[in-house]
Amino acid sequence: MNEHMFVPYIIGLLLSLSVAFVAYKKRSLTVSGFITASIVGMLFYVFGTFIAWSILIFFFISSSIISKFNKNEKEKYGRDYIQVISNSIVSLFFLTLYYFLHDLTYLVVAVVAIAASTADTWASEIGSLSKGKTYSILTFKAMEKGLSGAVSMLGVVASFLGALVISLMFSALYFLTEEFSLNLLTEFSVIITISGFLGSILDSYLGVFLQAKYKDIKSGKIAEMISNTEQFILISGKKFINNSTVNFIMVLTISVVTYLLLFI
């Protein structure tokens, strides 16, 4: 067995541990999130080289920084292993295919998955800072800010920019190591940007139809994350589907659809 084959694993683990440890100290990750992020980061580096790893780290750092401006209860204790996995497992699957089959298609789809997560996170975090009204993506009627399916103009713009930044970052990193091609660069950028943005829109629709929403019996306030089940009643969605589940379904769907429509 070639001893050099372990070098990428070691480099990837050390780099990922460093970033995850800082995030843990900043309370952006829980202990389980720290361990999971370190392992996931290592695998991204091994299967997707520094390109996929750098994009993943950018997604995580940018999302963590943005969330600090939004004092949301869901970010109070940092991301746990479930949130880390829900945002990375689909991309990691396609990176594994890319590693063994050496087909650039799978690398592009893996980046689409990250772009979709970035677009969705930027839309949620930046959109919630909007001072204007939020509207239901389904009925376009005014809707309480912070609930799944509620969108604002600021959030939509942030979503598109999130996907665009990921696409430009991928193009820049990829052509640092490969022969430059304007046609490929344009094609990659368009695919990643559009698919990532549409993934964010899809997440909003999935949130409306699938994510559990509860009503406080006493105050009538609607919530998606609850601790006292006796005080709330389920009014829509499925009890077992939360935000992390919706994120996973969205990323899986947009990645598979992108692959089937554009590369088959």
Side-chain angles (χ1 to χ4, degrees):
M1 184 177 294
N2 189 346
E3 60 182 13
H4 296 294
M5 69 177 293
F6 295 108
V7 172
Y9 287 91
I10 296 173
I11 295 176
L13 181 59
L14 291 176
L15 289 174
S16 300
L17 276 171
S18 300
V19 175
F21 181 72
V22 173
Y24 171 71
K25 297 298 289 185
K26 295 289 185 180
R27 297 186 178 181
S28 292
L29 288 172
T30 63
V31 173
S32 67
F34 162 70
I35 296 172
T36 306
S38 299
I39 297 173
V40 168
M42 176 190 69
L43 295 175
F44 263 70
Y45 188 90
V46 172
F47 295 147
T49 73
F50 77 97
I51 297 175
W53 184 86
S54 299
I55 293 173
L56 175 70
I57 296 303
F58 173 80
F59 157 66
F60 173 70
I61 292 178
S62 64
S63 300
S64 296
I65 292 175
I66 292 172
S67 70
K68 294 304 179 183
F69 292 95
N70 179 16
K71 304 303 182 181
N72 196 315
E73 185 69 21
K74 70 180 181 180
E75 296 295 340
K76 183 177 180 180
Y77 302 105
R79 293 179 175 86
D80 59 16
Y81 75 98
I82 294 177
Q83 292 168 302
V84 172
I85 291 175
S86 66
N87 283 305
S88 62
I89 191 65
V90 175
S91 183
L92 184 57
F93 170 76
F94 282 101
L95 286 178
T96 304
L97 293 177
Y98 168 69
Y99 179 79
F100 287 106
L101 301 178
H102 307 289
D103 186 338
L104 182 59
T105 296
Y106 298 115
L107 177 60
V108 174
V109 176
V111 175
V112 164
I114 305 176
S117 292
T118 304
D120 176 55
T121 302
W122 285 27
S124 299
E125 300 294 349
I126 297 178
S128 64
L129 299 175
S130 173
K131 297 185 182 301
K133 293 182 178 181
T134 55
Y135 300 89
S136 168
I137 197 170
L138 188 63
T139 64
F140 301 106
K141 293 181 180 180
M143 185 176 179
E144 184 178 343
K145 184 183 297 184
L147 293 179
S148 294
V151 297
S152 65
M153 182 57 66
L154 180 61
V156 171
V157 172
S159 173
F160 180 80
L161 289 177
L164 177 62
V165 169
I166 293 296
S167 72
L168 295 177
M169 186 175 180
F170 170 73
S171 297
L173 291 172
Y174 180 76
F175 289 111
L176 281 176
T177 57
E178 302 293 334
E179 184 178 351
F180 179 81
S181 170
L182 182 60
N183 290 335
L184 275 181
L185 186 150
T186 303
E187 180 182 353
F188 291 162
S189 296
V190 171
I191 291 173
I192 295 170
T193 301
I194 293 178
S195 294
F197 175 68
L198 290 178
S200 176
I201 300 299
L202 174 62
D203 188 89
S204 295
Y205 279 104
L206 291 174
V208 171
F209 291 109
L210 298 180
Q211 187 165 342
K213 292 182 178 64
Y214 301 87
K215 185 176 182 179
D216 190 324
I217 299 175
K218 297 180 179 179
S219 67
K221 186 177 180 179
I222 299 175
E224 294 176 347
M225 298 180 65
I226 62 172
S227 55
N228 182 6
T229 56
E230 295 182 356
Q231 185 177 335
F232 292 84
I233 57 173
L234 181 69
I235 59 173
S236 66
K238 305 296 182 181
K239 185 177 296 186
F240 57 89
I241 295 184
N242 56 22
N243 184 253
S244 294
T245 309
V246 169
N247 288 344
F248 170 74
I249 295 173
M250 178 274 288
V251 174
L252 177 63
T253 301
I254 199 66
S255 300
V256 172
V257 170
T258 299
Y259 176 75
L260 293 177
L261 290 180
L262 300 178
F263 299 113
I264 295 297

